[in-house]
Every structure is written in structure tokens, then in C-alpha cells.
Amino acid sequence: MNFKSRLINDLKAITGDQHILTAKWSKQQYSKGWRYGEGEALAVAKPGALLEIWQILQICVKADIIVIMQAANTGLTGGSTPDGNDYDRPIVIISTMRINEIQIINEGKQIIGFSGSTLFGLENKLAPYGMEPHSVIGSSCIGASIVGGVCNNSGGALVKRGPAYTELSIYAKINLEGELVLVNDLGIELGETPEEILNNLQNHNYTKEQIKFSNKLASDNQYQERVRDVNASTPARYNADDRRLYGASGCAGKIAVFAVRLDTYPIPKRQQVFYVGTNSSYVLGKIRRDILSKFQNLPKSGEYLHRDCYDAAKKYSKDTFVAIDKMGPSFIPKLFEMKRKVDRLSDKFKFLPSKFSDKLMQFLSNFWPNHLPKRMEEYRDKYEHHWVIEMSDDGVDEANTYFESFFKENEGNFFKCTKKEAEKAILHRFVAASAVGRYHALNEKKSGAMMSMDIAFPRNEKDWFEKLPSEIDDLLEMKLYYGHLFCHVLHQNYIVKKGVDADLLKQKLLKTYDARGAEYPAEHNVGHEYFAKPSLSNFYKKLDPTNGFNPGIGRTSKRKYWK
């Protein structure tokens, strides 16, 4: 029996035959990124328990096999899949989505999320406690995982909470001697051996007395103060910020995370969404500075959308919007799963066009009537810049008084959304992320490459809205701008014109951001798209000295021992 056959048999002995995938067809949804990156893997393992992950890791480390940990595979920069086929060792992908348990501790004030648990599942689990998770609509809609968010410094759209962060986790790492080690930083006494620790956690075999409360953080408790500092010359949040790189937090798959412990948040008693429109980016900048520096109550969120992006989302993200609006967020992971299956089918049968699912869904969406509220549509015609601001509790009255006074003296206007308008305004902003991908899928033959930039601008930046020099602007076919304006994190998506060198153009764009003191990426992590800055690459090397987990991340070395 050869090496590969022995390995596959050993893995199947742990999980069962049906949970080890070796056929190219069955591996594709795990070996290809949602938007970016793909490569070959020897096998995909789908363990059903924490101990099974440990046992698979033991086999892979002993056989000198690269391990890529993967949860929902919803990342935008290819960070949880292989990238190319130039690795120096075989790869096994461990998909954790079967291990989706969430344990509630401290009367709902904290949770323990296992490696495959999702934000949507957490939202449902916390509702009876009157609490909600770190992140809500957005990443939760596409089934994103709790652990994936922590590993990638994701989140931050919710102004009071900042990026996903914890110092309490349990994970496996490979030390400098090439030995697999289990690290229990969860703050719970679970036993001595890896087998004891993982089984006791899996079976909730611990008491309240075994849960320890130390000075270790389960959230970014300094973020509110940080985001309020509107005169600071550095961004509020970004992936390479070493103040928030710790264990699982920001690890980008350089360790194997079994579970994380996180704080939760009370559901507000009262909420109100304000829809703001203006033709001046400086008006929005003034509102931002006033609210962050003068309000007693911070907003819950503040989501920006440029008119061009509003139009693109209305046309190219309509099917996603309608699916969530009519079927609920729980349907979206199923929709994306169906979409991936259709695309794999179209790749197999050459008579079907490429990106068949996008083309089919776009065709069907044309038959659906206009899905956006009348007042939003009126603001679309009047105003270039749109801002959806959500306030809660005492902040509702504070914001209402402020806006009524502000727009007596400044250009633009606002309205208070009804409950249905609020749901649709927030949803329209979040489905906007898919518009550039859909446009590119429909126009790939006549358009150039697609670029998605994730930029954190300094907190004191007043010229936050991009004004490109003509030598760059003339090379772009489409520009879509949206983002989280209170923390100055902007998502700037581009389609370049046919024949334009996208890599060269990207470097020119990045230089314009460098000149403005920006950091990137802000929240999508480096994946295989961005270069990891020294603070990140040094963190990765410290976590994973042999480079056995997810090598090549941040365009670092794919070779063993980082050679």
C-alpha cells in the first residue's frame, strides 16, 4: 500500500469513510475560495468531534503534511484554501463545519463557540437570554463562522464592539521541534491530556467552579475609546494592528483553533435607523466627527453607500436581497451551497456557460419587481452619498435632535425609517458586497480583472471619499464604494478595463493609500491577496515556526521552516 492510500485509510478510521473526500469533484467546494484562490489538496477531512480534529492533526504532522483549517469558506481573500500548486508538501484541508456546538456560560454573558459554529446559530441561541453576538447581519448572512471571525480579525461594523477579539481559546500548534502541542487558554479547567481536555469540553463536562474569570479579554474593551478619537492619525482598526494579535485572534489559520470564548451584548430595548443623504462627502465627515466626539451614546452601526454602488446593488444583488428578505438569513448558506453545486456542474458539462449560477440568478431576478422602498429611491435620485445610521436606546432621541438641527444649516436631509424600511436599507447595504462579483461574472469577456480593496483610513482623515488621478481613473470601467464610515473602513471595488495590467494598477492604488496613512486590509485579512506586514508575518512565524499550518498566507513563504 502506498503513502497516499495508507494516509486515507488512517483518516477514514477516525471520521468514517463518508467524511474523507478524495474525488476532485467533491473536494472543489473546499479547495476553491468563495471569491479568490484555489489549489489542490490530497484530501478533505470533515471531522465530527474536537478529538477527531486532534487525531487528524497527529497523523498529518507525523506524515509531514500541510494542514489548512477551514470553516465556512466565506472569506474574500482566499485565506482558507490552497493557493496554487507550488507547495513543497501535500495538503489536507480540515473542514470543521460539522463541529458547530455553542455553549452558553455566565448566564449568557459569554459563549464558547466550537470551530464550526456560526454567527447565525449564535444569534438564535442567545435570543432567549436577551443577548446578541459580536457580529450580526452581514457576515452572518452567508453562514460565516465564529472562529473564522476571530482568526481573521473580522467584524467592526458594529461601532460599540470593534473587531472580533479574544484572549481565551483552545488550539493546537506545532512547536519548533515539530511536535503537536495542545494549548488550553480557554480559562476552564478541563483536565491534563489533550484527550481529556477535548472530550470534557465537547461533552460540557465541567462545572461553574471550573470556569475562571481572569484579566484576559473576551472582546476588544478599548475600542469605543479608540473609535471616538477622531483626531488620531492612525486607523481605528486593521488586521496588522499588533495590539490585537493574540493566540487565536488574528492567527489566520497558523494554528488549529478548537474553540473560542467571547463576550456577548444586551439586545437594545429601542432601536431606530436614520437614512441620511447628501451630495457632499464633507457633510458626512462633519456628522461623523460630531457623533463620535460629542454624543453621549455611540451609534450601533453606520453603513455608507455611494449612489453608483446603490444602483449596482439594486440590479446585481437583487436575487440575494429577495432571498434574505423572503426566506430569512438561514436560507443563505443553503443558497450559496446550491450556487456552488450549479457552478461545479457547469464546469463539468462544457455546453453550459461559465459562472452559470450567476447568469441564471441574474436572469430570474429581472422578473422580480422593484424591491426598494419609495423614500430610499427618492433619496437615490436626490443624493450621491447615502448613510444608514442605526441608533439604540437613549441614542435615538440624541440623534433625532441632532439631525433636525444639523440639516437646517447643512446640505442634505434625513428621514427616520419605518421598521420595514430599516430592514431593507440595512439589507441593501450588505448585499452590495456581491454586486461587483455578479457584474464581473456577467461581463467577464468584455471586462478586465476585478479588484476588491479593503482600506482603513486614519481617524482624522477628512478627504475620505476617493478622488483618483486621471491616469488611474481612466483605466477603470467600474468603481463601487461602500463601507463602515464611523471607523473609516471603506470597501473600494473596481473593474478594470480590458487589457489593463491589474497587478500594476493595484500597486499604484496601494501607493495612493500609503500616501494617506491608510492601512490594508482592514477586516478581510491578508489571505493570499495582500502582503502581510512585519507585525503580522512575525506573529505567524511565532505561532507556527515550522510553517505547517496554512503556509503562504500573506504572500509569505510556502516552504517548511519558512525557507
Side-chain angles (χ1 to χ4, degrees), residues 26-37:
S26 60
K27 291 186 294 185
Q28 190 176 4
Q29 75 179 86
Y30 305 94
S31 60
K32 184 175 183 178
W34 189 54
R35 184 189 283 179
Y36 185 92

Side-chain angles (χ1 to χ4, degrees), residues 41-212:
L42 195 67
V44 175
K46 299 171 67 179
L50 297 176
L51 185 57
E52 289 183 9
I53 296 178
W54 175 257
Q55 292 168 335
I56 292 168
L57 292 174
Q58 285 180 307
I59 289 172
C60 291
V61 171
K62 185 177 180 181
D64 198 21
I65 287 172
I66 288 168
V67 172
I68 296 179
M69 300 295 294
Q70 184 184 100
N73 194 16
T74 56
L76 298 178
T77 57
S80 57
T81 62
D83 183 61
N85 298 310
D86 55 344
Y87 295 84
D88 62 345
R89 291 151 288 166
I91 296 170
V92 167
I93 296 169
I94 299 179
S95 172
T96 63
M97 293 306 286
R98 292 178 62 216
I99 311 171
N100 58 5
E101 186 177 345
I102 297 166
Q103 296 177 356
I104 306 292
I105 61 173
N106 195 20
E107 299 174 327
K109 295 188 179 81
Q110 287 189 330
I111 62 96
I112 297 168
F114 284 18
S115 49
S117 57
T118 64
L119 287 165
F120 180 73
L122 179 56
E123 206 169 342
N124 288 339
K125 189 120 181 177
L126 284 173
Y129 295 86
M131 306 294 279
E132 62 185 11
H134 167 272
S135 301
V136 289
I137 191 170
S139 52
S140 56
C141 283
I142 55 174
S145 74
I146 296 168
V147 168
V150 170
C151 293
N152 292 312
N153 298 120
S154 300
L158 299 183
V159 181
K160 301 176 187 179
R161 303 176 193 177
Y165 182 74
T166 185
E167 294 167 2
L168 301 165
S169 64
I170 183 167
Y171 59 88
K173 64 178 293 183
I174 304 170
N175 65 20
L176 191 59
E177 288 72 41
E179 301 163 333
L180 189 67
V181 180
L182 187 72
V183 179
N184 180 12
D185 270 349
L186 205 57
I188 303 176
E189 294 173 355
L190 293 165
E192 298 298 326
T193 69
E195 291 75 15
E196 280 181 323
I197 291 168
L198 295 173
N199 277 328
N200 284 336
L201 179 60
Q202 181 90 51
N203 298 320
H204 211 148
N205 186 25
Y206 56 88
T207 64
K208 284 184 180 179
E209 290 69 34
Q210 288 171 284
I211 303 172
K212 305 304 176 186

Side-chain angles (χ1 to χ4, degrees), residues 414-474:
F414 81 103
F415 66 83
K416 292 191 290 184
C417 294
T418 64
K419 186 174 184 295
K420 194 62 182 175
E421 284 175 330
E423 290 171 354
K424 292 197 170 190
I426 292 169
L427 184 53
H428 185 59
R429 155 60 190 91
F430 278 106
V431 299
S434 65
V436 68
R438 173 63 58 80
Y439 176 88
H440 191 254
L442 298 176
N443 297 279
E444 58 183 339
K445 290 184 179 178
K446 66 177 184 180
S447 299
M450 173 177 66
M451 295 191 297
S452 299
M453 313 295 266
D454 171 29
I455 312 299
F457 290 105
R459 286 164 280 176
N460 65 354
E461 174 65 82
K462 294 182 179 178
D463 290 323
W464 59 270
F465 186 71
E466 185 168 71
K467 300 174 184 69
L468 291 170
S470 58
E471 62 266 24
I472 293 179
D473 201 46
D474 292 345

Side-chain angles (χ1 to χ4, degrees), residues 1 45 116 204 237 273 339 342 363 421 436 442 453 541 557:
M1 188 180 294
H204 211 148
R237 60 184 176 94
V273 169
K339 184 178 183 301
V342 169
F363 173 75
E421 284 175 330
V436 68
L442 298 176
M453 313 295 266
K541 289 174 182 177
S557 170

Side-chain angles (χ1 to χ4, degrees), residues 498-518:
K498 193 77 171 177
V500 171
D501 185 331
D503 289 335
L504 183 62
L505 183 58
K506 182 176 181 177
Q507 296 312 310
K508 289 182 179 178
L509 281 166
L510 293 179
K511 284 180 180 177
T512 69
Y513 305 145
D514 290 337
R516 297 165 66 188

Side-chain angles (χ1 to χ4, degrees), residues 462-535:
K462 294 182 179 178
D463 290 323
W464 59 270
F465 186 71
E466 185 168 71
K467 300 174 184 69
L468 291 170
S470 58
E471 62 266 24
I472 293 179
D473 201 46
D474 292 345
L475 302 177
L476 298 171
E477 180 178 311
M478 173 184 272
K479 297 177 294 186
L480 299 182
Y481 298 124
Y482 58 93
H484 320 295
L485 198 52
F486 281 113
C487 54
H488 263 185
V489 168
L490 274 294
H491 301 301
Q492 306 190 157
N493 293 345
Y494 311 95
I495 303 288
V496 305
K497 291 180 179 177
K498 193 77 171 177
V500 171
D501 185 331
D503 289 335
L504 183 62
L505 183 58
K506 182 176 181 177
Q507 296 312 310
K508 289 182 179 178
L509 281 166
L510 293 179
K511 284 180 180 177
T512 69
Y513 305 145
D514 290 337
R516 297 165 66 188
E519 293 280 353
Y520 47 84
E523 62 183 13
H524 293 161
N525 215 317
V526 288
H528 290 284
E529 193 170 4
Y530 296 90
F531 284 96
K533 293 190 174 180
S535 55

